[in-house]
């Protein structure tokens, strides 16, 4: 499958600051890059995704950027709030419909 | 309004036992997946099914098999459980050949401990 690397593994930010998580992937044929959020004890849920024909996508306080040439994509969370504390996973599609996930980033928002 | 249901939240089995993990979705999705979640390793794909009786290996299929006899049900089988299969197992489904085809809906997970 696809090799997806995600950094950092943990991230602690002050409430109101921004958080950035970065991922790289190996297969240049990948065209779909979602981000999932998993709150403690809950199932992962899609928060935003981007396809390769778009360089950036925003949804309120979250945004994702994609650089296909460099094979990396990033999640940006602005004005962080306590409810943003969770584990975030990036993923890249390979084959038909299959997703390979990064190892995850544990984000802690300090009040 | 749970849409992907995993039959067991917690299981404790002994080494060598046969283990069945069941997953049912009620969204008429074509695709179903079994992932394994371990700290520091993220979610790793074990098997994928795109249709009834059809399956494809994921990244870590060794020691596992799957069964999809009906569209809504996808089972993960550990023929002879080993301690290194102690993990959280997540089932997921996605629509398939329609818009939003890649969006995964996950079940709540089955935490398996093999002693």
């Amino acid at each position: 499958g696809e090799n997806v690397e995600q950094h950092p593994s943990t991230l602690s930010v002050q409430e109101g600051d921004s958080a950035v998580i970065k991922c790289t992937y190996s297969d240049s044929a990948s065209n779909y890059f979602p981000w999932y959020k998993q709150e403690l004890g809950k199932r992962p849920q899609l928060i935003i995704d981007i396809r390769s024909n778009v360089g950036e996508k925003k949804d309120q306080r979250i945004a994702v950027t994609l650089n296909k040439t460099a094979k990396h994509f990033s999640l940006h969370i602005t004005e962080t709030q306590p409810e943003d504390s969770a584990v975030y996973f990036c993923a890249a599609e390979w084959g038909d419909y299959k997703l390979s996930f990064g190892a995850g980033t544990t984000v802690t928002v300090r009040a | 309004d749970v849409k992907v249901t995993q039959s067991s939240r917690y299981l404790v089995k002994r080494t060598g036992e046969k283990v069945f993990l069941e997953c049912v979705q009620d969204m008429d999705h074509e695709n179903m997946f079994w992932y394994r979640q371990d700290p520091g390793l993220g979610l790793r794909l074990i098997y994928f099914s795109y249709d009834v009786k059809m399956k494809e290996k994921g990244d870590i299929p060794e020691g596992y098999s799957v069964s999809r006899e009906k569209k809504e049900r996808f089972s993960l089988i550990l023929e002879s459980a080993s301690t290194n299969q102690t993990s959280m197992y997540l089932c997921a489904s996605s629509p398939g050949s329609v818009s939003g085809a890649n969006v995964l809906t996950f079940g709540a997970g089955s935490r398996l401990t093999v002693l």
Side-chain angles (χ1 to χ4, degrees):
Chain A
E2 171 80 271
N3 183 31
V4 179
E5 294 192 358
Q6 181 172 348
H7 300 280
S9 57
T10 61
L11 182 59
S12 180
V13 297
Q14 191 71 35
E15 184 177 355
D17 287 351
S18 295
V20 180
I21 304 170
K22 298 183 179 181
C23 290
T24 61
Y25 61 98
S26 58
D27 187 352
S28 57
S30 293
N31 287 314
Y32 175 67
F33 307 91
W35 287 86
Y36 284 78
K37 175 184 180 182
Q38 186 176 30
E39 297 177 2
L40 189 62
K42 297 190 176 181
R43 64 195 77 189
Q45 290 192 305
L46 178 75
I47 54 170
I48 195 167
D49 56 13
I50 192 167
R51 296 191 180 272
S52 60
N53 57 348
V54 175
E56 184 176 1
K57 184 177 178 181
K58 288 184 179 180
D59 183 4
Q60 300 182 344
R61 295 186 298 106
I62 59 173
V64 58
T65 58
L66 171 65
N67 184 327
K68 279 225 75 177
T69 303
K71 292 191 282 188
H72 67 71
F73 56 113
S74 301
L75 178 72
H76 304 253
I77 307 172
T78 59
E79 301 173 20
T80 53
Q81 300 171 4
E83 55 264 36
D84 295 328
S85 294
V87 180
Y88 293 80
F89 295 98
C90 63
E93 184 185 40
W94 59 281
D96 289 326
Y97 309 119
K98 295 183 284 290
L99 294 178
S100 285
F101 286 82
T105 298
T106 301
V107 174
T108 303
V109 179
R110 307 187 307 272
Chain B
D1 99 305
V2 174
K3 296 177 170 58
V4 179
T5 303
Q6 295 183 229
S7 57
S8 303
R9 287 300 306 273
Y10 301 95
L11 302 94
V12 179
K13 298 292 182 180
R14 296 207 175 272
T15 301
E17 280 192 85
K18 192 169 186 176
V19 182
F20 292 89
L21 299 180
E22 303 284 339
C23 175
V24 176
Q25 52 94 5
D26 63 1
M27 296 170 285
D28 199 35
H29 283 175
E30 294 181 10
N31 301 330
M32 296 189 75
F33 307 80
W34 276 105
Y35 281 90
R36 171 176 170 163
Q37 183 174 14
D38 299 288
L41 296 177
L43 288 76
R44 293 178 291 166
L45 181 63
I46 305 172
Y47 266 99
F48 158 60
S49 170
Y50 54 92
D51 200 353
V52 175
K53 297 190 186 294
M54 307 305 289
K55 62 185 179 183
E56 284 187 19
K57 293 180 180 179
D59 295 318
I60 53 164
E62 297 78 17
Y64 303 95
S65 62
V66 290
S67 173
R68 192 167 181 199
E69 297 296 320
K70 294 184 178 182
K71 187 175 185 179
E72 67 271 18
R73 188 179 297 270
F74 192 34
S75 302
L76 181 68
I77 303 153
L78 288 68
E79 293 289 342
S80 178
S82 62
T83 55
N84 62 11
Q85 293 178 309
T86 291
S87 186
M88 171 69 83
Y89 291 88
L90 288 169
C91 175
S93 68
S94 69
S97 55
V98 295
S99 176
N102 311 85
V103 178
L104 298 182
T105 300
F106 283 91
S110 298
R111 183 165 294 283
L112 172 66
T113 301
V114 182
L115 302 176

